[in-house]
Each structure stands twice: as C-alpha cells, then as structure tokens.
Amino acid sequence: MRWFGNKGAEKLMEIHEKRDRFMQDLIQGHRERKFDASSKGREKTMIEVLLSLHETEPEYYTDETIRGLIVVLFQAGSDTSVGTMEWAISHLLNNPQILKKAQTEIDNHVGHNRLFAESDVGELPYLNCIITETLRMNPPAPFLVPHESSEECTVGGFRIPSGTMLMVNVWGIQNDPKVWVDPDKFMPERFEGPEGTKNGFKLMPFGSGRRGCPGENLAMRMVGLAVGSLLQCFDWERISKELVDMTEGTAVTMSKATPLMAKCQPRAAATGLLSLLN
C-alpha cells in the first residue's frame, strides 16, 4: 500500500467502501424480491442461490461472504477469461495442426446446421484439453491469490509461522520440467484419456480445496463456448509467417506482452450460421 501513498490508499479505501455498499444494496434488493409473488417460477440469480444457502448455513454464508463471492465473479471472471481465450487462440495459430483437429471435432459433434452451444462444451474432450493445456502454460493468476497460514507448520523443511502471507507460484509448478514432459511445448494430448486430468497438485490454475476459485466451472464453460464458437465459424491464420509472440506481460494476471493480432475469414460451411447472428 506504500506504493500508492497516503492519498492513494485513502482513495482505494473509499472505492472499497463504495463497492461494498453497492453489493450490499444488491443483496438487500434480492432479499426483498424473494417475497415478491411475480418472482415465482423463474430461474434464480447467483445472489438468490447464495441467499438460499444462507438459510441452511448462516454461520458461513454471511452477507460479507456473499459480497466477497460476487466481487470475485465480477472482477476475476472477466479479464482472466478474456486473457485465457487470447492465449488459447495464440497457441492454436502457432500450432495449425491442433487448430484443424479441434475444428474437425467440432464439425463432427455440432455439425453445420446450428451454432455452437454451451451444452456442447462438455461433449468435446479435445477442445477441453486445449483449454486445460492453455491454463497449464499460461495460468490467469500465476501466483494465485494471497493465502495466510492459519497455524504454524513446516513445508519442505521451512518453518511457516502462523499468520504468514503465502504466495503459490502455480506458474512455476505447471511449467516445471521435473514435473512435466516438455513443459514448453503446447501439447493438449497430454490431458487425453481418463488419467489426463488426475494431476493432483501439479495442475491447479484455479487453486485447490475450499479456497479454490468458485468460478472454475463457469470459466471453463464460458471460455470453451467462446473458443469453440470462433473455431466453428472462422478459419484463422497468422498475420505473417512469423510465429505469434508468446511473451508474457507484467501484471497481476497473466496477459500477453503484445496483444494478439490475427486474420480470420468465415468458413464456407458456416456462412449460413453467421447469418443467424444478425
């Protein structure tokens, strides 16, 4: 916080308090809607789901916890997902044979008579392997979020006092040549088969356990839907013969140092599908 100076820190606190008030107003509004007769029969919002959990576990699903979960979905669910899509397309452009294999899988499952849907994501194992391999090489949060040791412990021979702030270098774990074969090579096939995703703590782009990212399933579906739709409808190629620059930028989240630029054109079989978007 010293980096921001006194005025900067005060401004951040004001923004934090303003955001909390806004979130609390949302929660209160949903509480009131719960008793509105017109709300019966419709699907619940995320806040309403959390409020229903509050009824069964009030000691855990407090307003403070609900505010925190909603903030995570807002803040961590946009930039990180877009960044993962950009990394995925970049890897595919540098590996056109993998891109074609993914398009073939989509064509065989979805066909050319309808647009790619969210429900298709779970039925496309190779597409999911591509996304998982992207998350391995370019985790959205390379150090995850800060954790704090609840009690003194020893990890790898090091004494960790209670109350220590801990940062997990998940990028280092997921790109470690002692753990992965050819970690610098984009190989979605490494995650194929029933054993492909059983990697213990070798792969944890969303963290792990109770403190893991609550938006993991949503992120996988949204990224899969976006990338799958782009592959179904367009043919992609690099803007030159040079490979896409995969240099990593400097930020809290894993962004590309050079934003992706690529050429695309509608696939012949998708011309009719694209007209449905108008």
Side-chain angles (χ1 to χ4, degrees):
M1 295 297 290
R2 287 194 297 269
W3 296 343
F4 295 98
N6 291 335
K7 290 187 177 181
E10 291 174 3
K11 186 64 176 177
L12 284 175
M13 290 301 295
E14 290 177 8
I15 294 173
H16 174 77
E17 292 171 359
K18 183 178 181 180
R19 184 193 65 190
D20 264 9
R21 288 195 299 271
F22 172 74
M23 293 296 177
Q24 190 60 45
D25 287 343
L26 285 179
I27 293 171
Q28 190 58 37
H30 279 74
R31 274 203 179 97
E32 295 171 359
R33 284 178 60 188
K34 181 179 179 181
F35 301 102
D36 186 350
S38 64
S39 65
K40 294 181 179 180
R42 61 171 175 75
E43 294 185 359
K44 290 183 178 180
T45 66
M46 178 63 71
I47 294 179
E48 287 171 330
V49 171
L50 293 171
L51 287 175
S52 66
L53 292 172
H54 170 77
E55 296 177 359
T56 56
E57 298 182 73
E59 71 285 352
Y60 178 71
Y61 288 98
T62 62
D63 282 8
E64 182 180 10
T65 298
I66 294 174
R67 289 199 305 269
L69 289 171
I70 296 301
V71 168
V72 167
L73 292 176
F74 274 137
Q75 294 185 334
S78 54
D79 177 64
T80 50
S81 296
V82 171
T84 300
M85 296 173 199
E86 186 178 24
W87 281 113
I89 297 296
S90 298
H91 282 297
L92 292 175
L93 288 170
N94 284 346
N95 298 273
Q97 75 283 359
I98 295 177
L99 190 155
K100 291 298 181 184
K101 184 176 178 179
Q103 285 182 321
T104 299
E105 180 186 54
I106 293 171
D107 291 343
N108 291 338
H109 175 76
V110 181
H112 305 293
N113 297 320
R114 65 177 179 86
L115 286 169
F116 192 101
E118 180 190 340
S119 57
D120 295 314
V121 176
E123 304 298 324
L124 298 168
Y126 193 65
L127 176 63
N128 282 281
C129 288
I130 288 172
I131 296 170
T132 302
E133 177 70 340
T134 301
L135 291 169
R136 180 192 69 80
M137 296 186 71
N138 311 104
F143 288 97
L144 299 182
V145 296
H147 288 64
E148 182 179 296
S149 55
S150 56
E151 58 185 33
E152 183 174 323
C153 58
T154 302
V155 179
F158 293 91
R159 184 180 72 87
I160 310 297
S162 173
T164 301
M165 181 179 289
L166 305 172
M167 305 291 287
V168 179
N169 186 358
V170 72
W171 183 94
I173 295 172
Q174 296 181 176
N175 287 272
D176 188 347
K178 297 178 182 178
V179 177
W180 301 89
V181 177
D182 296 327
D184 296 332
K185 187 175 181 181
F186 187 72
M187 294 192 301
E189 290 76 10
R190 72 171 84 237
F191 294 107
E192 288 184 324
E195 299 298 319
T197 56
K198 296 180 180 178
N199 287 286
F201 294 109
K202 296 192 300 181
L203 180 75
M204 46 180 180
F206 295 97
S208 182
R210 188 168 186 174
R211 302 304 179 197
C213 175
E216 177 177 356
N217 290 334
L218 177 63
M220 292 297 291
R221 284 189 170 274
M222 291 299 98
V223 172
L225 174 61
V227 174
S229 299
L230 291 173
L231 295 182
Q232 180 195 30
C233 295
F234 299 95
D235 281 320
W236 296 84
E237 60 180 292
R238 300 190 295 267
I239 59 175
S240 68
K241 294 182 179 180
E242 299 294 326
L243 293 177
V244 174
D245 185 0
M246 304 299 283
T247 304
E248 298 156 350
T250 303
V252 176
T253 56
M254 178 71 75
S255 59
K256 293 177 89 276
T258 304
L260 173 64
M261 293 186 65
K263 294 189 290 185
C264 69
Q265 61 179 4
R267 300 177 70 195
T271 303
L273 294 177
L274 289 171
S275 65
L276 299 176
L277 300 176
N278 295 334

